[in-house]
């Protein structure tokens, strides 16, 4: 259904399969090193939860969102360069808030690049505050080898539905995220355990190029997960993008070993406005 607000120059509509070239064009504005998801993923997973904004000259932005119980999650918000500084970003966020409220959400969350001052000011004006921070590093096998040896008796196995709640609590994740990830073909969720202990979690996504989220209770347990990830992606892949949340000790050790920083972000959360 199209959202129209009278004299406003923008209208918003759900994504369609044939919007993929437009999505790819706007995805580039995120400034990420990773390529856009393939057309198959757009059609099967992304289009249904993406809303494109059309102006007089065509599509000028999009939001990718999903309702996770009482939490609304804004995965991406993109405004084309020619449409910036016109209030479009705020308009898109307010329309998103309306949809979330209609879906029963009470709060919302998103991730923003740490040095994106205009975005931080916009989200702050809407009541969102910093909750967590993450660092995305390019990690090689040689970097992993500098971490302490992994303890004996560890096991890496697929995450099951019974694990969602305890893993969410153990690592401070947004409730509902693991259930959502588990339903998507593009995600491979793995847990690190010893007996009944939950010691780590990783999501091997994007064709094996990125680990996000990634959590481990110690440097040695991080090594166990990372070694397992490299085994799964095979010898042809020389590095992985690993997004580490609230784990400055791990980030510091890997940076000292030479791991390159790809991106630094904040996770913001807040009450829905209005």
């Amino acid at each position: 259904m199209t959202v129209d607000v009278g004299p406003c120059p923008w209208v918003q509509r759900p994504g369609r399969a044939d919007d993929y070239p437009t999505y790819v064009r706007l995805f580039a504005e995120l400034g990420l090193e990773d390529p856009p998801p393939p057309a198959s993923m757009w059609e099967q997973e992304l289009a249904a939860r993406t809303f494109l904004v059309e102006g007089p000259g065509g599509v000028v932005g999009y939001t990718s969102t999903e309702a996770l119980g009482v939490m609304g999650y804004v995965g991406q918000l993109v405004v084309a360069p020619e449409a910036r500084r016109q209030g479009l970003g705020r308009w898109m966020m307010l329309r998103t808030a309306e949809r979330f409220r209609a879906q029963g959400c009470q709060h919302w969350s998103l991730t923003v690049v740490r040095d994106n001052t205009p975005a931080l000011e916009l989200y702050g004006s809407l009541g969102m505050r910093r909750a967590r921070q993450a660092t995305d590093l390019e990690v090689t096998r040689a970097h992993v080898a500098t971490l302490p040896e992994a303890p004996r008796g560890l096991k890496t196995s697929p995450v099951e539905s019974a694990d969602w709640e305890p893993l969410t609590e153990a690592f401070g994740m947004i409730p509902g995220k693991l259930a959502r990830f588990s339903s998507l073909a593009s995600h491979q969720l793995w847990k690190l355990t010893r007996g009944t202990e939950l010691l780590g979690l990783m999501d091997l996504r994007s064709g094996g190029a990125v680990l996000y989220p990634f959590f481990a209770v110690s440097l040695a347990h991080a090594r166990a997960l990372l070694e397992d990830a490299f085994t799964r992606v095979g010898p042809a892949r020389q590095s992985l993008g690993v997004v580490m949340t609230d784990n400055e000790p791990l980030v510091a050790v890997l940076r000292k070993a030479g791991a390159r920083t790809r991106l630094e972000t904040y996770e913001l959360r807040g009450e829905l406005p209005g």
Side-chain angles (χ1 to χ4, degrees):
M1 180 178 69
T2 297
V3 177
D4 199 342
V5 287
C8 177
W10 306 301
V11 294
Q12 197 173 60
R13 64 167 176 81
R16 304 184 300 251
D18 61 0
D19 287 316
Y20 181 67
T22 300
Y23 170 74
V24 169
R25 170 175 61 84
L26 291 170
F27 182 92
E29 298 301 325
L30 291 169
L32 304 177
E33 294 188 14
D34 300 313
S40 59
M41 190 184 301
W42 165 255
E43 295 179 12
Q44 296 168 14
E45 299 182 8
L46 300 174
R49 60 185 182 91
T50 300
F51 287 80
L52 279 69
V53 178
E54 293 185 338
V59 177
V60 290
Y62 74 82
T63 52
S64 178
T65 66
E66 55 190 324
L68 302 170
V70 298
M71 179 70 76
Y73 181 67
V74 183
Q76 294 175 358
L77 184 149
V78 179
V79 176
E82 67 272 16
R84 293 172 186 165
R85 292 175 292 278
Q86 300 176 31
L88 178 54
R90 177 177 295 275
W91 182 87
M92 293 165 69
M93 286 294 287
L94 292 175
R95 301 293 78 74
T96 297
E98 290 174 357
R99 284 200 308 278
F100 282 153
R101 284 197 300 272
Q103 293 171 297
C105 300
Q106 301 172 17
H107 316 274
W108 57 352
S109 173
L110 55 75
T111 297
V112 60
V113 178
R114 292 188 206 177
D115 61 2
N116 190 341
T117 301
L120 286 166
E121 291 176 349
L122 168 61
Y123 303 143
S125 73
L126 294 170
M128 306 187 84
R129 299 292 180 263
R130 188 187 309 172
R132 313 193 76 173
Q133 65 180 30
T135 302
D136 180 350
L137 296 181
E138 183 181 11
V139 178
T140 68
R141 290 174 174 81
H143 299 148
V144 174
T146 67
L147 295 173
E149 289 285 344
R152 295 181 179 274
L154 299 179
K155 178 183 178 182
T156 305
S157 57
V159 170
E160 300 175 349
S161 58
D163 302 316
W164 297 342
E165 186 174 344
L167 283 170
T168 294
E169 182 176 353
F171 299 115
M173 299 185 67
I174 294 174
K177 261 198 170 183
L178 289 179
R180 173 62 176 162
F181 291 161
S182 295
S183 71
L184 301 174
S186 59
H187 294 248
Q188 298 180 41
L189 289 166
W190 302 89
K191 63 185 177 184
L192 181 70
T193 59
R194 181 169 53 194
T196 60
E197 292 182 279
L198 295 173
L199 302 170
L201 167 70
M202 65 178 178
D203 186 355
L204 186 60
R205 59 169 76 179
S206 300
V210 179
L211 294 178
Y212 174 63
F214 179 91
F215 294 102
V217 299
S218 75
L219 299 181
H221 292 92
R223 176 168 179 166
L225 271 180
L226 290 168
E227 287 179 340
D228 185 87
F230 272 111
T231 297
R232 294 184 189 282
V233 299
R237 186 169 295 282
Q238 299 301 308
S239 65
L240 292 168
V242 185
V243 183
M244 290 154 278
T245 301
D246 291 340
N247 196 338
E248 285 307 306
L250 178 58
V251 171
V253 170
L254 290 173
R255 276 178 170 161
K256 185 176 180 179
R260 181 178 64 87
T261 301
R262 298 181 355 137
L263 199 64
E264 294 181 306
T265 59
Y266 292 126
E267 181 188 320
L268 308 182
R269 301 183 189 181
E271 301 282 337
L272 281 173

